[in-house]
């Protein structure tokens, strides 16, 4: 967060406003006070002088109106005596003059100014007072002393006539000095009170800003996920209330954050432990979340997938835009099969929406459907195979039976052979149906192994012997069997079927003869049985498929040989039921070897001694 500049802080603003207000108040008070004081002082000064002037005016008028005899002193002399007497008692009066109505100066109280007596007064104020018959006054600067003086010209009236004027200069400077002194005191007082209030203001501002900055720090801590901090509540005022509300907010936030967090964790663990893949997108269709199962299914890494369009991740960018995916109601199959391996995913789409209907994103659930699709395909194939296998003998039988019905039964030469064909075809069908029954029983695990302990070499030899006795085959049977006893726990009937089928295949698919080799080897936990021929072999690509139901490398030929293609499929089920495994190695035109294993525990030497 940006730091608040010093001059922008509330603290400083508060103190500044506070100081300004006080300053303003002091100024207003000061100006008002000073002007009133000045006025009062001036009025006091002038009235005291005017009062005295009235006395002088009286004496002057008396002197001017007096009838004089020759031995009386001249009016100038007696007026001077009056003025001198007056001036000596009032020290704030600089000079007082008597001027007659023709502006001639009759007397002055200042001894040094006696030369001006008899001259005309040039003063404007004097002239104005005579002509206007009113007292005139003003404040002016004294030319000699450079001090302010108050000048008053007061007409002397007798019976409504102006007989002269009294001119007075008084020293008003000390009034101004007094005002200045008082102003000074006021200024100092203002300064002192201002400094005290600034200090108090800083403290008051602090009490307000401290909780605020405390809350700011708290908000910063909360943004970083720290909810343990609490704001200190300083009082019960608005700020205190705010602090309490703030602390309450912190608690609420912490609670809701921890609920969201635990919900998030729950969701994450659900997503991670799901076997289905889940992908979520934002509203533009870019992947925002994907679980591990989905990554494994798509064989991608998280950093590649995140923020990429969902349609390209699912390989659907050719067929579907994001807007189309939103519309999909059913699931769709995603075929990622290669030539070697089939791999089919099923994707279900659902949209996340706000209450307003605005689409927030898409959720895709992926399910590995390869097995299901494979089973479906196998089932279809199986049904078609079975019907095909049943139809062939039935059509053969029908044509022979039709021929017999059309009169062939009378022909003693043909009839028996026709009947023989229908008989073998029927047997073939019975064998087929029996094989199918066996397989279906094994599929439903609806069988028990009648296991017993047998010595495998003896067991194997007896089966080989049986084939050797009835042999029409050109070639030798070669036995590579160990001399030691190998005791295994097997269901002899079922194991006989397995070995019968393998040996009969070896004979059947070696039409030109050749040796048949039989071998048994043992390891710690298994014995491995081998039957090898020099027959026609199997094309390399199909070697694994010979254990599939109805698979025949060369359909026409093996059917002619009476095969149904179920023998090895049954053998595989039986070997697996015994806990072993079966496989083939073959080279076309050279021969085939079938291997199978059976569980076996090697006995310690001499245990029976
Ligand atoms: P069934 O055994 O039911 O009478 P089948 O022999 O045709 O019929 P399987 O035993 O399952 O069926 O064998 C499947 C196919 O594998 C055969 O049709 C044949 O093409 C091939 N096959 C099996 N064994 C050999 C072998 N030893 N040499 C060559 N091909 C073989
Ligand atoms: Mg067979």
């Amino acid at each position: 967060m940006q730091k608040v500049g010093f001059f922008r802080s509330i603290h400083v603003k508060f103190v500044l406003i506070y100081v300004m207000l006080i300053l303003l108040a002091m100024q207003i008070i000061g100006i008002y006070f000073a002007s009133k004081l000045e006025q009062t002082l001036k009025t006091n000064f002038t009235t005291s002088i005017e009062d005295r002037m009235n006395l002088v005016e009286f004496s002057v008028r008396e002197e001017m109106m007096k009838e004089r005899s020759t031995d009386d002193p001249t009016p100038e002399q007696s007026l001077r005596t009056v003025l001198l007497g007056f001036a000596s008692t009032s020290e704030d009066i600089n000079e007082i003059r008597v001027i007659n109505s023709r502006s001639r100066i009759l007397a002055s109280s200042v001894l040094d100014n006696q030369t001006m007596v008899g001259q005309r007064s040039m003063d404007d104020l004097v002239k104005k007072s005579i002509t206007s018959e009113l007292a005139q006054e003003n404040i002016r600067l004294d030319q000699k002393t450079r001090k302010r003086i108050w000048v008053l010209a007061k007409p002397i009236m007798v019976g409504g006539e102006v007989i002269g004027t009294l001119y007075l200069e008084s020293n008003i400077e000390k009034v101004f000095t007094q005002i200045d002194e008082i102003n000074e005191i006021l200024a100092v007082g203002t300064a002192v009170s201002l400094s005290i209030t600034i200090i108090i203001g800083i403290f008051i501002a602090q009490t307000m800003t401290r909780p605020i900055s405390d809350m700011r720090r708290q908000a910063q801590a909360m943004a970083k996920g720290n909810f343990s901090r609490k704001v200190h509540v300083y009082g019960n005022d608005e700020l205190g209330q705010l602090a309490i509300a703030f602390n309450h907010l912190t608690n609420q936030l912490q609670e809701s954050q921890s609920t969201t967090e635990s919900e998030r964790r729950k969701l994450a663990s659900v997503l991670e432990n799901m076997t289905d893949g889940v992908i979520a997108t934002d509203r533009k269709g870019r992947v925002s979340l994907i679980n591990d199962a989905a990554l494994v299914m798509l064989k991608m890494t998280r950093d590649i997938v995140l923020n990429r369009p969902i349609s390209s991740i699912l390989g659907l960018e050719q067929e579907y835009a994001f807007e189309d995916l939103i519309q999909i109601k059913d699931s769709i199959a995603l075929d990622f099969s290669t030539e070697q391996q089939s791999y089919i995913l099923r994707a279900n789409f659902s949209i996340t929406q706000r209450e307003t209907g605005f689409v927030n994103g898409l959720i895709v659930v992926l399910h590995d459907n390869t097995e299901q699709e494979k089973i479906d395909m196998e089932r279809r194939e199986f049904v078609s195979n079975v019907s095909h296998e049943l139809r062939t003998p039935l059509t053969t039988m029908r044509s022979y039976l039709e021929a017999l019905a059309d009169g062939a039964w009378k022909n003693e030469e043909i009839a028996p052979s026709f009947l023989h064909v229908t008989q073998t075809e029927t047997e073939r069908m019975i064998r087929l149906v029996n094989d199918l029954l066996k397989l279906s029983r094994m599929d439903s695990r609806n069988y028990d192994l009648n296991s017993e302990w047998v010595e495998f070499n003896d067991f194997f030899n007896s089966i080989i012997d049986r084939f050797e006795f009835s042999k029409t085959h050109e070639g030798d049977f070669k036995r590579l069997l160990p001399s030691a006893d190998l005791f295994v726990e097997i269901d002899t009937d079922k194991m006989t079927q397995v070995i019968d089928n393998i040996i009969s295949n070896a004979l059947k698919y070696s039409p030109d003869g050749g040796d048949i080799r039989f071998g048994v080897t043992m390891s710690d936990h298994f014995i491995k049985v081998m039957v090898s021929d020099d027959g026609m072999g199997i094309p390399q690509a199909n070697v694994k498929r010979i254990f599939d139901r109805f698979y025949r490398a060369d359909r026409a030929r093996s059917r002619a040989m009476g095969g149904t293609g179920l023998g090895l499929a049954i053998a595989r089920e039986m070997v697996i039921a015994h806990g072993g495994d079966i496989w083939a190695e073959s080279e076309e035109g050279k021969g085939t070897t079938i291997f199978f294993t059976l569980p076996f525990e090697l006995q310690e030497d001499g245990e029976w001694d």
Side-chain angles (χ1 to χ4, degrees):
M1 197 182 278
Q2 214 185 337
K3 207 169 160 15
V4 182
F6 179 73
F7 286 103
R8 287 171 181 229
S9 72
I10 288 192
H11 200 138
V12 173
K13 272 188 202 157
F14 185 85
V15 174
L16 278 180
I17 291 169
Y18 187 86
V19 167
M20 300 280 233
L21 281 177
I22 291 174
L23 215 58
L24 193 71
M26 294 295 261
Q27 281 305 307
I28 293 167
I29 293 171
I31 289 166
Y32 179 75
F33 178 78
S35 67
K36 279 285 171 204
L37 185 75
E38 190 179 324
Q39 224 176 346
T40 319
L41 286 178
K42 267 193 208 160
T43 327
N44 287 351
F45 180 81
T46 48
T47 36
S48 94
I49 289 184
E50 274 168 1
D51 287 349
R52 278 175 280 164
M53 270 285 265
N54 290 340
L55 286 174
V56 178
E57 191 196 342
F58 180 75
S59 322
V60 169
R61 198 190 295 128
E62 288 291 293
E63 286 300 330
M64 284 176 84
M65 300 298 294
K66 199 162 155 191
E67 302 273 318
R68 291 175 196 275
S69 56
T70 43
D71 41 330
D72 282 341
T74 59
E76 282 82 2
Q77 275 171 337
S78 51
L79 281 174
R80 194 176 66 191
T81 318
V82 171
L83 295 187
L84 280 174
F86 173 66
S88 63
T89 54
S90 323
E91 59 188 38
D92 47 358
I93 289 171
N94 293 356
E95 186 178 3
I96 181 160
R97 295 175 198 163
V98 180
I99 295 150
N100 69 8
S101 55
R102 286 183 304 279
S103 298
R104 200 167 295 279
I105 299 169
L106 298 179
S108 165
S109 64
V110 177
L111 291 174
D112 296 348
N113 283 352
Q114 293 307 318
T115 48
M116 67 168 59
V117 173
Q119 287 180 4
R120 276 179 74 88
S121 169
M122 307 304 276
D123 203 294
D124 275 351
L125 223 57
V126 172
K127 282 180 192 155
K128 249 194 241 162
S129 75
I130 293 167
T131 49
S132 70
E133 300 179 5
L134 288 169
Q136 301 291 328
E137 60 172 307
N138 70 10
I139 290 173
R140 63 168 78 138
L141 209 61
D142 187 36
Q143 297 302 327
K144 279 183 245 151
T145 57
R146 313 295 302 165
K147 287 192 172 152
R148 273 164 289 192
I149 49 173
W150 181 60
V151 182
L152 176 73
K154 193 167 190 272
I156 307 164
M157 309 288 291
V158 176
E161 289 271 318
V162 181
I163 58 161
T165 189
L166 265 176
Y167 172 86
L168 176 131
E169 281 181 11
S170 70
N171 181 12
I172 199 170
E173 187 63 44
K174 67 172 189 195
V175 173
F176 285 103
T177 326
Q178 222 174 348
I179 292 169
D180 285 348
E181 272 166 14
I182 290 169
N183 277 347
E184 218 167 276
I185 290 166
L186 209 65
V188 172
T190 309
V192 170
S193 66
L194 211 61
S195 1
I196 292 169
T197 47
I198 283 176
I199 292 166
I200 294 169
I202 288 172
F203 277 113
I204 293 175
Q206 231 169 34
T207 58
M208 288 175 73
T209 54
R210 201 186 297 142
I212 293 174
S213 20
D214 212 15
M215 276 182 262
R216 188 183 57 134
R217 275 195 294 274
Q218 162 102 341
Q220 281 168 337
M222 254 155 55
K224 286 182 191 147
N226 174 10
F227 293 97
S228 58
R229 228 171 156 275
K230 286 275 168 295
V231 180
H232 188 260
V233 181
Y234 289 95
N236 201 22
D237 55 2
E238 287 89 335
L239 280 174
Q241 300 275 330
L242 182 63
I244 290 168
F246 206 83
N247 285 337
H248 183 65
L249 177 76
T250 310
N251 284 340
Q252 293 283 319
L253 258 177
Q254 182 172 18
E255 242 166 64
S256 71
Q257 214 229 13
S258 69
T259 352
T260 339
E261 183 61 17
S262 84
E263 287 299 318
R264 203 186 59 77
R265 272 204 219 106
K266 243 187 263 170
L267 187 69
S269 92
V270 167
L271 281 180
E272 281 321 310
N273 292 311
M274 270 173 80
T275 47
D276 283 353
V278 177
I279 307 173
T281 76
D282 60 13
R283 63 193 167 83
K284 288 196 178 138
R286 285 175 309 218
V287 175
S288 59
L289 182 148
I290 182 163
N291 71 350
D292 287 351
L295 288 173
V296 171
M297 284 179 188
L298 295 170
K299 301 189 179 73
M300 289 180 180
T301 60
R302 189 164 268 119
D303 17 319
I304 295 178
V305 174
L306 284 182
N307 287 325
R308 267 185 54 195
I310 181 78
S311 49
S312 90
I313 300 290
L314 300 179
L316 296 171
E317 66 265 59
Q318 303 292 336
E319 303 107 85
Y320 297 98
F322 178 61
E323 289 70 30
D324 304 326
L325 291 178
I326 290 173
Q327 307 297 333
I328 293 180
K329 293 280 178 298
D330 299 333
S331 61
I332 58 172
L334 309 171
D335 196 345
F336 291 106
S337 303
T338 57
E339 282 192 3
Q340 288 82 35
Q341 215 182 356
S342 70
Y343 186 47
I344 296 160
L345 297 180
R346 191 147 279 283
N348 287 287
F349 298 87
S350 59
I351 46 174
T352 50
Q353 260 175 324
R354 286 202 202 136
E355 281 142 23
T356 52
F358 181 80
V359 175
N360 255 350
L362 188 66
I363 292 184
V364 186
V365 179
L366 295 177
H367 181 73
D368 185 348
N369 221 28
T370 314
E371 276 309 305
Q372 188 57 42
E373 300 270 339
K374 211 167 124 193
I375 289 169
D376 284 357
M377 212 181 66
E378 276 173 5
R379 191 177 45 79
R380 284 192 294 273
E381 212 174 308
F382 183 76
V383 170
S384 101
N385 276 332
V386 170
S387 26
H388 184 80
E389 292 302 325
L390 286 172
R391 201 179 57 190
T392 317
L394 282 171
T395 39
T396 315
M397 279 163 65
R398 188 177 61 187
S399 48
Y400 278 86
L401 288 172
E402 273 170 6
L404 284 169
D406 286 349
W409 62 276
K410 288 181 211 151
N411 187 327
E412 277 184 28
E413 277 174 31
I414 303 172
S417 78
F418 275 23
L419 284 171
H420 177 71
V421 171
T422 53
Q423 201 178 353
T424 42
E425 287 298 319
T426 315
E427 269 160 21
R428 213 165 96 96
M429 265 166 56
I430 292 173
R431 213 171 52 237
L432 177 73
V433 173
N434 279 340
D435 281 353
L436 284 174
L437 270 176
K438 255 184 237 165
L439 272 174
S440 104
R441 229 177 276 138
M442 297 195 126
D443 281 346
S444 59
R445 302 266 177 263
N446 190 10
Y447 64 95
D448 293 321
L449 287 180
N450 287 320
S451 297
E452 53 183 312
W453 286 97
V454 288
E455 203 288 307
F456 192 76
N457 287 326
D458 287 349
F459 171 72
F460 198 21
N461 268 322
S462 67
I463 299 173
I464 303 168
D465 285 345
R466 181 154 47 80
F467 275 94
E468 206 164 22
F469 284 138
S470 57
K471 186 170 99 167
T472 54
H473 185 83
E474 283 175 33
D476 292 330
F477 279 13
K478 294 194 168 155
R479 308 181 199 207
L480 306 160
L481 307 182
S483 52
D485 287 346
L486 303 175
F487 280 94
V488 285
E489 196 181 16
I490 51 172
D491 181 329
T492 47
D493 278 354
K494 294 207 163 67
M495 204 37 71
T496 308
Q497 281 179 42
V498 172
I499 296 169
D500 270 5
N501 188 269
I502 294 172
I503 298 176
S504 66
N505 279 352
L507 294 171
K508 207 159 42 168
Y509 300 111
S510 308
D512 305 331
D515 291 344
I516 312 282
R517 289 164 295 278
F518 303 93
V520 176
T521 52
M522 58 175 176
S523 67
D524 278 358
H525 301 292
F526 285 100
I527 57 166
K528 186 163 83 177
V529 184
M530 172 207 90
V531 177
S532 169
D533 63 61
D534 296 334
M536 57 205 271
I538 307 157
Q540 192 55 43
N542 296 336
V543 174
K544 274 199 180 130
R545 297 186 57 199
I546 61 172
F547 300 99
D548 290 351
R549 293 170 191 190
F550 295 110
Y551 177 78
R552 283 168 303 203
D554 181 343
R555 278 183 178 256
R557 172 123 41 127
S558 43
R559 186 173 299 124
M561 291 171 180
T564 59
L566 289 173
L568 284 179
I570 295 171
R572 185 179 63 174
E573 295 293 342
M574 287 177 171
V575 170
I576 288 172
H578 277 85
D581 196 10
I582 187 164
W583 69 97
E585 283 171 12
S586 183
E587 205 176 325
E588 210 175 355
K590 290 258 175 78
T592 308
T593 310
I594 306 283
F595 297 95
F596 71 90
T597 57
L598 288 172
F600 161 74
E601 285 304 321
L602 189 64
Q603 304 290 332
E604 286 297 319
D605 266 356
E607 199 177 302
W608 300 97
D609 291 348

